[in-house]
Amino acid sequence: MTNNPGPGLPRRSFLRRAGLLGLAVAGAGSAGSLLAACAPSASSTAAGGSSGSAAKAGGILKAALTGEPDSLDPAVSSVYTGAQVYDGIFSKLLDIGPNGDLVARLATRWTSQDAKTWTFDLVDNAYFHNGEKFTGNDVKYTFERILDPKTASAYAPLYAPIDAVEVISPTQVTFHLKASFGPFLTNLANNGEIVNQKAIESKDPARNPVGTGPFQFVEWVQGDHITLKKWDKYFRSGHPYLDEVDFRFLLVDQSRVDALSAGEINWADAVPLQQLPTLSKDPRFSYETSPVAGIPDFLAMNVTKAPFDKKEVRQAIAWAVDRKAIRQIAYFGSGEVGVQEIASGSPWFDGVDPYAAGPDIAKAKQLLADAGYPNGLTIRYLGLPQYPELLKTGEIVAEQLKQIGITMQIEQVDVSVWFDRYSKGDYEISSAYQERTIDPDNFYSLVVKTGGSINAMKYSNPKVDQLIDKAAESTDMETRKGLYSQIRAIVQDECPLIFIHYETLNYLMQKNVTGSTVGSTLELGLEDVAFTG
């Protein structure tokens, strides 16, 4: 077993936040206590940084992404790199700030008349890049389009509680919900990019994105780059600083590091984990990360297939797995040991880990015997060679399970094959992940609830379903936290999945680039990025 997983495909170049496995229902709650639903982003800057230098207007940022977008239509894009690009093109009603609070964007104020009625006052100085003035009609059109089955938007479940969007005036809209919905505001902040009907219907929105954001789309040269330029009519005074952003597609980890070292680019996504300890301290660069903006990775088990139809087998694996060893070997010590669907820095984290005392080989063997497998068994793991840390996790788990008499055979398949088989339940055990889990509802409504769009474990528990619905309907954060603790206790005991690791995201840039942060929505926020003098 080697410590180097080798070259592979960055996950963020395959699935962003809304594919079968990338969907993140974002959510955190309503006003008041729920405004702090997302933990603050944290960053560290390498020694010798220029954080004390003043930002200046102008310049072209050459940014390297881990892959090429699939589409720049925010309603249908399913690749994370698409969001990294169109984040600068579109604006939302509100956003999630660096401290985890909700901040105004196209909305200047939002109030709830009751648990099912939300009114938003809108800016009066925003223009789309086609010259159309932004009004409440654009808000109504945006969400009706997302909810229209013809759009086939994976975001539709995020906004299913919307009954109607009423345009009160050009600068005011009211959302009427079917029922109270705790994640509503953060859903808007996470996935609510506002589009313009005329722009959508006049040209292909996948290739001709038109928003009210800080940057205007210029060109997309397939396989090479996408260029954006400063929008002079941007409604936020003094932003953006940059004149232009040139996104380059560099899939190979080392190619991004080499280009940054050579000065060919200014900013790079996804620092190679095996180089993170050295690059994060390299005085040539600045380094940004966040303790809560990342990806929970887990072992998924198909509970409809033997032997995983027996809880004791699933629990035995949970007690046999050494998550600390996996973090050290597969993730080079980065991130943190997986405990829950969110990171330990999240305000939703309750710290309860029933398998914290593991690995416990004797207990795992006894559970296997209780399940009717005293002499062990053979299982099949569906592996992804394109995702090195996930495949390496499988290899490590296979070695660890030998200690309790389980032989785990690894079948490596292409990512498209894996995606199809995993989503259909044509597997026994595999590594999976869920991007952008900010609110627990992001995870449990989709991954755990009966019939959930990402419930590839085929898990079903009516009591858990009831608790998930109750938590989503609540608008009180403390109440919701208590409900999610109850949900976790049941799921951890029945064990359809085992959290393995929480992978945090990392950016690297030249010393004269300032304002780049890793936000909880995993968007880039380039309107705040600038070059220093």
Side-chain angles (χ1 to χ4, degrees):
M1 188 184 303
T2 174
N3 285 353
N4 185 357
L9 177 68
R11 278 180 281 167
R12 291 179 295 284
S13 70
F14 176 53
L15 289 174
R16 181 188 36 114
R17 44 184 185 172
L20 177 69
L21 303 176
L23 183 60
V25 175
S30 304
S33 63
L34 294 187
L35 294 183
C38 304
S41 138
S43 65
S44 60
T45 302
S50 54
S51 57
S53 301
K56 62 180 182 180
I60 299 174
L61 183 76
K62 292 172 286 187
L65 301 180
T66 58
E68 186 164 6
D70 60 335
S71 167
L72 295 181
D73 180 351
V76 301
S77 175
S78 61
V79 175
Y80 171 64
T81 47
Q84 290 182 303
V85 174
Y86 73 61
D87 169 44
I89 299 172
F90 295 90
S91 306
K92 295 172 282 191
L93 293 176
L94 55 156
D95 215 331
I96 298 174
N99 295 320
D101 53 340
L102 296 175
V103 296
R105 285 296 183 259
L106 288 172
T108 61
R109 184 171 177 264
W110 48 94
T111 57
S112 58
Q113 288 69 52
D114 55 58
K116 298 191 294 181
T117 310
W118 283 92
T119 296
F120 293 78
D121 295 334
L122 310 175
V123 300
D124 191 35
N125 64 334
Y127 289 85
F128 286 93
H129 304 149
N130 62 353
E132 292 274 301
K133 187 171 184 180
F134 162 74
T135 71
N137 290 324
D138 299 300
V139 178
K140 179 179 176 67
Y141 173 76
T142 293
F143 292 100
E144 288 181 348
R145 177 176 182 253
I146 290 173
L147 290 169
D148 186 344
K150 294 180 181 178
T151 306
S153 174
Y155 298 130
L158 307 177
Y159 303 111
I162 295 176
D163 187 41
V165 182
E166 179 185 5
V167 180
I168 308 300
S169 74
T171 58
Q172 190 176 74
V173 296
T174 295
F175 286 80
H176 299 280
L177 307 183
K178 300 171 186 175
S180 60
F181 187 55
F184 177 60
L185 287 183
T186 315
N187 283 0
L188 295 177
N190 204 10
N191 302 90
E193 290 85 2
I194 303 299
V195 301
N196 173 258
Q197 182 173 3
K198 182 177 180 180
I200 292 290
E201 294 177 351
S202 62
K203 292 183 178 180
D204 178 9
R207 290 282 173 166
N208 300 276
V210 174
T212 63
F215 296 98
Q216 181 178 8
F217 175 77
V218 176
E219 68 173 359
W220 183 345
V221 177
Q222 193 76 28
D224 190 72
H225 72 273
I226 290 175
T227 299
L228 310 181
K229 69 177 181 179
K230 180 177 181 177
W231 175 232
D232 291 331
K233 292 184 179 180
Y234 186 50
F235 63 93
R236 290 190 67 208
S237 179
H239 291 79
Y241 295 105
L242 300 168
D243 289 332
E244 186 176 301
V245 181
D246 183 14
F247 290 103
R248 303 183 183 183
F249 317 135
L250 300 178
L251 278 69
V252 178
D253 283 345
Q254 193 58 45
S255 70
R256 297 191 298 278
V257 175
D258 292 344
L260 193 66
S261 299
E264 297 170 1
I265 61 171
N266 315 108
W267 182 98
D269 181 18
V271 181
L273 295 183
Q274 62 268 41
Q275 298 184 55
L276 185 59
T278 55
L279 288 175
S280 63
K281 298 181 177 69
D282 193 317
R284 297 175 298 165
F285 309 125
S286 292
Y287 161 67
E288 297 289 334
T289 187
S290 166
V292 295
I295 304 169
D297 295 337
F298 54 91
L299 286 176
M301 293 166 282
N302 189 336
V303 302
T304 66
K305 289 183 178 288
F308 297 104
D309 56 342
K310 293 190 176 182
K311 179 176 73 171
E312 293 83 1
V313 172
R314 304 192 299 267
Q315 290 178 331
I317 293 175
W319 279 112
V321 167
D322 186 341
R323 293 169 292 172
K324 293 179 181 178
I326 293 172
R327 174 175 177 259
Q328 288 303 124
I329 300 172
Y331 296 90
F332 300 92
S334 68
E336 62 183 45
V337 168
V339 176
Q340 297 175 1
E341 74 284 351
I342 30 78
S344 60
S346 168
W348 298 100
F349 187 79
D350 66 15
V352 177
D353 181 4
Y355 303 100
D360 188 325
I361 302 304
K363 181 177 291 188
K365 287 182 175 180
Q366 184 59 56
L367 283 164
L368 276 186
D370 294 342
Y373 299 99
N375 299 317
L377 70 158
T378 298
I379 61 176
R380 293 183 66 82
Y381 173 92
L382 194 62
L384 276 165
Q386 293 93 340
Y387 297 168
E389 66 278 11
L390 296 186
L391 180 60
K392 178 56 63 176
T393 293
E395 293 172 349
I396 298 168
V397 168
E399 291 295 319
Q400 294 173 347
L401 293 185
K402 287 180 181 179
Q403 301 178 75
I404 63 171
I406 293 180
T407 298
M408 190 170 86
Q409 300 173 344
I410 296 178
E411 178 185 5
Q412 298 187 33
V413 296
D414 181 78
V415 64
S416 59
V417 175
W418 176 89
F419 185 83
D420 182 65
R421 288 182 56 182
Y422 180 76
S423 61
K424 292 178 179 177
D426 182 18
Y427 77 101
E428 293 181 6
I429 182 172
S430 185
S431 290
Y433 64 98
Q434 172 75 349
E435 289 193 6
R436 300 195 352 157
T437 301
I438 298 173
D439 180 293
D441 186 65
N442 306 168
F443 194 88
Y444 291 107
S445 286
L446 301 172
V447 181
V448 173
K449 188 177 178 181
T450 302
S453 59
I454 318 175
N455 185 349
M457 295 98 59
K458 310 304 178 185
Y459 173 74
S460 178
N461 183 320
K463 175 63 174 177
V464 170
D465 295 344
Q466 182 183 34
L467 288 170
I468 291 171
D469 288 341
K470 188 175 181 180
E473 291 169 2
S474 174
T475 56
D476 178 76
M477 186 170 183
E478 291 306 313
T479 298
R480 297 185 72 212
K481 287 175 69 175
L483 290 168
Y484 286 121
S485 290
Q486 293 180 49
I487 293 168
R488 291 186 191 111
I490 298 172
V491 174
Q492 287 168 334
D493 175 66
E494 298 195 333
C495 208
L497 58 88
I498 303 167
F499 289 107
I500 295 295
H501 182 267
Y502 193 90
E503 181 181 352
T504 51
L505 303 187
N506 308 282
Y507 301 155
L508 204 64
M509 65 214 74
Q510 291 180 334
K511 302 299 290 186
N512 64 337
V513 176
T514 186
S516 179
T517 61
V518 182
S520 53
T521 64
L522 309 189
E523 295 170 345
L524 299 183
L526 291 178
E527 65 188 277
D528 297 317
V529 173
F531 290 102
T532 57

